[in-house]
């Protein structure tokens, strides 16, 4: 059942373990200090450190207390019901340093590998039961990666009622910069709740959305206000872009300025320069903006791509870059020319700085993506299965009870062998692109293109291919990804279009089953489920989406 934002007003504690006590500064001090003139180092570590196997031991634990608040808000000047984290949209940014430990109703920390901490992944029906209204839960995880990401609810469509916020994990960077401007969210927006319009998505396909927001603000007609960012001539500024949209692929640009891209998702890359950046749902890019002008105001643009996104305010999702904060003049600058498409950035530009190769010694699964109708409602399928899992009986609870009778609809792929390479071939004949997100891993992109995958004619890229946690499955195309089974747990893989996840576009990977039970805190898992069952029974709550 899809609910109004009033359903889950709950409390969350997030404990994050990291490196230093203040953003942008390393106190390790044994070899070098991270500074504006040398962002590549981090105390005894640097960009050449294999962060998959080596993590600074900082001894620092950061604690954040988050409360979900039912209220009304008007981020573009039009009031609607929302569910906010600590009363703001976006919610508060969680800061940590590489190596810190962190403690946050099913909050998912997007892109965080949760290495051997699968229970902290925050996915109802998979790693926990939903958190009942008035109840609380504590998430504790270690920041083994560094860079920019976000947290969001993984319960129904709650993320797009406002339950999201940024995560900044300080560490080395592949280019120098003077100022960290923090997270910049790109969101689409509707004047009714996502829950209200889900029935339209189910019965008629994705609805046209009303507007878009930059860091939680924009104009709509004569109401609302623009997002502003002020810079100083000659200085360089790191911007941490997050596409937190429910169903919009953006092209991002700042008129008359180029962007130097230094990271994709949580993977540092060899820097490259572009004027227009393509960013899919759930993806992140860290960019450096050099303030090359001496004065003036310039449009910051997030442009929905009509190839896969419908928005009534598509040409007016804009903010203002200022060189003088007191200058209220509206920009007269022009957008860069671009090709409307929902494709990823060119893979030749996305070169991980720390080079790793994929193995050709692998097992392989092939998943065809299709859409069909059930009782006149759209349902998405992977390998002929539309995903449904149960809120009150999450996968981890089944594993703890050694119940291996997984239902067909829970679409469990078991990966029992440790440290083996697994390839997934995901393809579709339909002209709809999909952002594919995998929990628990960075995956290697071995192939990505139009048409059907053919193992005899498609060349797989095995030498330092792009690594990330969200990649676009092109319309009428294919995506081949690979990863090693080095992280025991139950991990979700799904399309990051909100409607599609709710409509069953997901599967789960049960990785190294025999090792998972020992990693589970049963008391926490059981008490959360008991509280949820009591609430759901008393209020006659019935699930009618995919459960994730």
């Amino acid at each position: 059942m899809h609910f109004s934002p009033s359903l889950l007003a709950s409390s969350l504690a997030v404990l994050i373990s990291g490196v230093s006590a203040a953003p942008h500064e390393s106190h390790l001090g044994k070899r070098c200090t991270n500074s504006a003139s040398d962002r590549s180092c981090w105390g005894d570590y640097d960009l050449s450190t294999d962060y998959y196997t080596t993590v600074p031991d900082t001894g620092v634990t950061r604690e954040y207390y988050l409360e979900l608040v039912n209220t009304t808000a008007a981020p573009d000047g039009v009031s609607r019901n929302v569910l906010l984290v600590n009363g703001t949209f976006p919610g508060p940014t969680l800061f940590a340093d590489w190596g810190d430990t962190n403690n946050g109703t099913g909050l998912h920390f997007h892109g965080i590998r949760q290495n051997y901490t699968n229970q902290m992944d925050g996915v109802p029906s998979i790693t926990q039961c939903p958190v009942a209204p008035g109840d609380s839960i504590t998430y504790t995880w270690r920041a083994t990666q560094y860079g920019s990401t976000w947290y969001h609810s993984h319960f129904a469509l709650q993320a797009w009622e406002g339950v999201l916020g940024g995560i900044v994990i300080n560490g080395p960077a592949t280019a120098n910069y003077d100022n960290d401007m923090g997270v910049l969210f790109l969101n689409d927006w509707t004047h009714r709740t996502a829950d209200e319009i889900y029935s339209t998505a189910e019965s008629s396909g994705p609805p046209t959305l009303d507007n878009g927001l930059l860091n939680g603000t924009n104009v709509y007609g004569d109401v609302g206000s623009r997002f502003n960012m002020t810079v100083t001539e000659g200085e360089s500024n790191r911007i941490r872009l997050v596409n937190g949209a429910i169903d919009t692929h953006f092209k991002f640009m700042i008129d008359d300025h180029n962007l130097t891209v230094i990271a994709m998702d949580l993977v540092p890359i060899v820097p490259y320069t572009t004027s227009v950046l393509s960013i899919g749902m759930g993806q992140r890019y860290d960019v450096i903006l050099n303030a090359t002008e001496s004065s003036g105001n310039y449009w910051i643009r997030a442009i929905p791509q009509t190839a896969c996104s419908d928005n009534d305010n598509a040409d007016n999702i804009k903010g203002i870059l200022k060189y003088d904060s007191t200058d209220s003049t509206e920009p007269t600058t022009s957008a860069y020319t671009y090709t409307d498409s929902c494709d990823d950035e060119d893979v030749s530009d996305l070169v991980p700085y720390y080079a790793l190769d994929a193995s050709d010694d692998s097992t392989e699964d092939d998943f065809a993506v299709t859409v069909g109708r059930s009782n006149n409602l759209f349902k998405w399928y992977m390998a002929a299965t539309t995903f449904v899992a149960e809120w009150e009986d999450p996968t981890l609870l089944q594993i703890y009870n050694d119940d291996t009778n997984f239902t067909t609809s829970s679409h469990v792929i078991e990966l029992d062998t440790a440290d083996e390479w697994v390839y997934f071939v995901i393809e579709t004949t339909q002209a709809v692109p999909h952002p594919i997100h995998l929990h628990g891993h960075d995956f290697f992109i071995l192939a990505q293109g139009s048409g059907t995958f053919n193992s005899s004619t498609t060349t797989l890229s095995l030498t330092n291919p792009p690594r990330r946690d969200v990649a676009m499955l092109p319309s009428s195309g294919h995506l081949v990804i690979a990863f090693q089974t080095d992280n025991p747990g139950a991990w979700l893989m799904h399309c990051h279009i909100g409607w599609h996840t709710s409509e069953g576009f997901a599967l789960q990977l049960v990785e190294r089953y025999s090792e998972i039970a020992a990693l589970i805190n049963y008391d926490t898992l059981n008490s959360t489920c008991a509280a949820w069952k009591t609430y759901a029974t008393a209020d006659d709550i019935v699930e009618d989406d995919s459960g994730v």
Side-chain angles (χ1 to χ4, degrees):
M1 172 177 217
H2 276 272
F3 309 96
S4 71
S6 62
L7 174 63
L8 289 180
S10 307
S11 298
L12 309 167
V14 183
L15 305 179
I16 308 175
S17 300
V19 175
S20 70
H24 318 310
E25 184 179 359
S26 169
H27 296 298
L28 296 173
K30 295 182 180 179
R31 188 164 61 81
C32 64
T33 299
N34 184 268
S35 66
S37 60
D38 187 4
R39 295 289 185 189
S40 66
C41 74
W42 196 257
D44 275 346
Y45 307 88
D46 59 25
L47 288 164
S48 66
T49 302
D50 181 355
Y51 50 86
Y52 293 105
T53 61
T54 303
V55 183
D57 184 5
T58 67
V60 174
T61 297
R62 299 173 184 266
E63 298 191 17
Y64 293 91
Y65 295 89
L66 308 177
E67 183 178 11
L68 305 193
V69 180
N70 295 301
T71 185
T72 58
D76 62 354
V78 180
S79 183
R80 56 158 276 192
N81 291 325
V82 292
L83 184 60
L84 303 181
V85 182
N86 291 8
T88 66
F89 182 77
T93 298
L94 310 184
F95 289 95
D97 287 335
W98 183 23
D100 286 354
T101 297
N102 295 260
N103 292 330
T105 87
L107 266 197
H108 171 57
F109 305 92
H110 183 107
I112 300 298
R113 292 184 62 228
Q114 299 292 2
N115 201 33
Y116 283 78
T117 54
N118 178 225
Q119 193 172 349
M120 300 297 114
D121 202 36
V123 185
S125 305
I126 308 295
T127 63
Q128 64 173 82
C129 291
V131 181
D135 198 9
S136 64
I137 192 170
T138 298
Y139 296 100
T140 304
W141 49 270
R142 193 175 184 199
T144 61
Q145 304 139 279
Y146 54 87
S148 309
T149 190
W150 59 311
Y151 61 88
H152 60 82
S153 172
H154 225 297
F155 180 82
L157 297 173
Q158 204 176 67
W160 300 284
E161 313 295 12
V163 185
L164 57 82
I167 300 175
V168 172
I169 304 173
N170 297 301
T174 60
N176 294 333
Y177 56 89
D178 298 307
N179 309 303
D180 192 330
M181 310 302 281
V183 174
L184 175 52
F185 269 98
L186 313 180
N187 289 86
D188 45 25
W189 193 246
T190 58
H191 295 149
R192 292 187 296 158
T193 68
D195 292 311
E196 287 179 277
I197 61 177
Y198 176 64
S199 59
T200 300
E202 273 195 306
S203 61
S204 305
T208 299
L209 306 179
D210 295 313
N211 203 356
L213 309 174
L214 275 71
N215 256 14
T217 190
N218 195 23
V219 299
Y220 189 78
D222 297 327
V223 297
S225 60
R226 300 280 188 196
F227 168 76
N228 294 321
M229 178 182 291
T230 302
V231 296
T232 300
E233 179 187 4
E235 293 185 351
S236 53
N237 307 275
R238 181 176 183 168
I239 304 172
R240 302 167 182 267
L241 296 171
V242 177
N243 184 340
I246 192 171
D247 191 15
T248 302
H249 191 112
F250 289 107
K251 291 286 176 71
F252 178 83
M253 66 183 76
I254 301 177
D255 294 356
D256 298 339
H257 292 75
N258 287 328
L259 305 170
T260 300
V261 187
I262 62 169
M264 57 176 170
D265 298 349
L266 284 168
V267 177
I269 64 173
V270 176
Y272 73 95
T273 300
T274 186
S275 57
V276 181
L277 186 68
S278 183
I279 180 168
M281 288 141 280
Q283 292 184 330
R284 293 87 64 209
Y285 284 100
D286 289 39
V287 301
I288 294 175
L289 167 75
N290 291 308
T292 54
E293 304 298 319
S294 59
S295 62
N297 292 342
Y298 303 84
W299 286 123
I300 303 171
R301 303 175 188 267
I303 305 173
Q305 299 303 282
T306 60
C308 65
S309 312
D310 291 319
N311 195 292
D312 276 341
N313 205 31
D315 60 353
N316 202 24
I317 304 171
K318 296 186 291 189
I320 302 175
L321 180 73
K322 296 186 173 187
Y323 280 76
D324 178 354
S325 61
T326 65
D327 184 354
S328 59
T329 305
E330 185 169 281
T332 58
T333 55
S334 299
Y336 286 105
T337 300
Y338 67 93
T339 300
D340 188 287
S341 78
C342 301
D343 295 329
D344 271 333
E345 289 287 280
D346 193 314
V347 294
S348 65
D349 289 326
L350 303 178
V351 181
Y353 187 92
Y354 183 79
L356 291 173
D357 296 339
S359 172
D360 58 5
D361 181 15
S362 67
T363 61
E364 180 178 311
D365 275 305
D366 195 333
F367 300 108
V369 173
T370 58
V371 64
R373 291 176 76 87
S374 175
N375 297 321
N376 291 319
L377 301 177
F378 283 111
K379 297 295 181 184
W380 284 91
Y381 296 79
M382 294 184 75
T385 301
T386 190
F387 181 89
V388 180
E390 301 300 322
W391 286 332
E392 65 178 27
D393 191 21
T395 305
L396 285 192
L397 187 59
Q398 296 174 54
I399 292 172
Y400 188 86
N401 292 326
D402 200 23
D403 178 5
T404 59
N405 295 315
F406 300 117
T407 63
T408 299
S409 62
S410 65
H411 205 167
V412 170
I413 308 296
E414 294 194 61
L415 305 172
D416 292 330
T417 304
D419 299 317
E420 74 171 345
W421 281 90
V422 179
Y423 286 11
F424 287 140
V425 178
I426 308 166
E427 52 190 334
T428 182
T429 59
Q430 295 168 328
V432 180
H434 301 275
I436 303 299
H437 175 47
L438 175 62
H439 294 211
H441 294 274
D442 287 334
F443 54 71
F444 294 68
I445 302 175
L446 305 187
Q448 185 181 39
S450 60
T452 303
F453 172 76
N454 186 325
S455 60
S456 62
T457 59
T458 302
T459 301
L460 299 181
S461 175
L462 302 177
T463 304
N464 196 29
R467 298 191 305 273
R468 62 187 319 169
D469 57 72
V470 184
M472 295 303 298
L473 167 64
S475 63
S476 305
H478 62 271
L479 173 69
V480 183
I481 63 174
F483 64 91
Q484 266 188 303
T485 53
D486 58 3
N487 194 8
W491 305 111
L492 191 66
M493 183 165 71
H494 63 102
C495 173
H496 220 280
I497 296 172
W499 319 122
H500 293 181
T501 306
S502 283
E503 292 165 359
F505 192 158
L507 56 77
Q508 55 179 317
L509 309 174
V510 171
E511 183 176 340
R512 294 162 63 163
Y513 178 97
S514 64
E515 301 174 49
I516 299 173
L519 304 175
I520 295 173
N521 181 324
Y522 176 74
D523 290 342
T524 298
L525 180 62
N526 186 55
S527 64
T528 301
C529 287
W532 172 258
K533 289 177 184 178
T534 298
Y535 165 73
T537 299
D539 286 58
D540 195 25
I541 302 300
V542 179
E543 175 187 331
D544 69 354
D545 75 348
S546 66
V548 294

